[in-house]
Amino acid sequence: MAVLVEDVTVWGVAGIVYAPETLKPVPSDGEQFTLVAYGDLRIPWTLACREVVALHGCTFVGFEDLAEQTAA
């Protein structure tokens, strides 16, 4: 199985957010990392470990169909 994607939008990062007042990690909502969007005021205080992207217009295709589409 493969996925064809029409649009990929860079959204933000996943990481550990630190409090500017104490420089201690801010607890997350039970998740290992906090999702922080670009433009969020917390972004300068986030130690990012992953970039987060949004995928739009996704279509699942089989590998056989994918080979036919790329051969044309």
Side-chain angles (χ1 to χ4, degrees), residues 10-53:
V10 178
W11 183 85
V13 298
I16 300 171
V17 179
Y18 288 84
E21 303 82 17
T22 63
L23 301 180
K24 292 184 179 182
V26 176
S28 62
D29 296 332
E31 297 294 326
Q32 183 177 7
F33 300 115
T34 301
L35 299 178
V36 182
Y38 290 123
D40 188 311
L41 295 177
R42 300 174 298 166
I43 200 80
W45 297 100
T46 303
L47 178 59
C49 70
R50 297 185 182 120
E51 184 172 45
V52 177
V53 297

